Amino acid sequence: MDAYRITINGVTRDLPICEANEHLDIAAFVIFGDVEMTVKGAEGLLAKAPEFDYIITAEAKGIPLGYEMARQAGKPYFVARKGTKLYMKEVFGVEVRSITTDRVQHLYLDKAEADQMKGKRVLIVDDVISTGESLKAVEILCEEAGANVVGKCAILAEGDAQDREDIFFLEPLPLFFK
């Protein structure tokens, strides 16, 4: 199989099958540049979302979705950055290892963003939840910021993630074991 066909909130795509390792292939869901999928994914997730004050997502693939959800909802959003920037002050971070990344990464927030989130209802957004490591890292950052995480969501839940009761998503995505 070269591709996996999926329909998400009325939008159908053929996702290329890629080798994650010698025992596992995954269907690659890349939201970058797919405006229709981003808009429809955001609509679908917002219909399921609890009340929130802010959205937060991890850099980078969740950014278009986080932005579009924030735009449609008329709410601000934040990005947990993979690296620190000169404008970031009093930065704090957490380590993360994702299924689609071959090395340990870090995610960071600065104090100004944390201060805005403190005591507020925050919705964590991502494109795909698989192992949940990126999600967990963003949740830790939110907790350190004093935010109240009211929901965790993604367009797709991959593999065992679809059985989690602490997230919501639009469609399941299988893993392909060899």
Side-chain angles (χ1 to χ4, degrees):
M1 176 180 356
D2 292 336
Y4 177 76
R5 178 161 285 182
I6 192 165
T7 301
I8 303 163
N9 203 20
V11 179
T12 300
R13 295 291 184 265
D14 290 324
L15 308 181
I17 303 296
C18 303
E19 183 175 279
N21 61 48
E22 63 185 73
H23 305 289
L24 177 68
D25 289 346
I26 60 173
F29 180 69
V30 180
I31 200 168
F32 289 133
D34 193 338
V35 175
E36 181 183 28
M37 181 61 73
T38 303
V39 169
K40 296 302 274 181
E43 286 174 3
L45 289 172
L46 285 170
K48 294 182 165 197
E51 288 293 319
F52 63 91
D53 301 305
Y54 294 104
I55 288 173
I56 187 168
T57 191
E59 191 174 35
K61 285 178 29 183
I63 293 174
L65 179 62
Y67 165 80
E68 182 59 22
M69 288 178 71
R71 188 192 69 75
Q72 288 181 24
K75 307 276 178 121
Y77 78 106
F78 298 105
V79 176
R81 303 296 305 258
K82 287 183 179 177
T84 60
K85 303 294 180 188
L86 293 175
Y87 58 82
M88 297 173 76
K89 305 296 181 202
E90 297 181 55
V91 177
F92 58 97
V94 65
E95 201 172 271
V96 62
R97 185 171 198 66
S98 167
I99 192 172
T100 56
T101 307
D102 63 355
R103 60 184 165 75
V104 172
Q105 295 181 314
H106 294 85
L107 291 175
Y108 301 96
L109 279 178
D110 75 358
K111 186 176 183 320
E113 294 167 331
D115 287 348
Q116 289 179 65
M117 287 190 289
K118 187 174 184 172
K120 301 294 185 186
R121 300 169 299 179
V122 176
L123 179 63
I124 300 174
V125 173
D126 209 346
D127 60 332
V128 179
I129 297 171
S130 187
T131 63
E133 291 301 311
S134 297
L135 186 76
K136 182 179 176 183
V138 174
E139 190 169 17
I140 290 168
L141 286 175
C142 288
E143 289 169 0
E144 288 184 24
N148 176 24
V149 175
V150 295
K152 300 173 275 189
C153 66
I155 293 175
L156 301 174
E158 187 173 51
D160 291 341
Q162 61 194 284
D163 298 327
R164 291 177 60 157
E165 294 182 10
D166 65 325
I167 65 170
F168 62 96
F169 57 94
L170 298 180
E171 295 294 332
L173 185 63
L175 294 172
F176 303 93
F177 295 96
K178 302 184 224 181

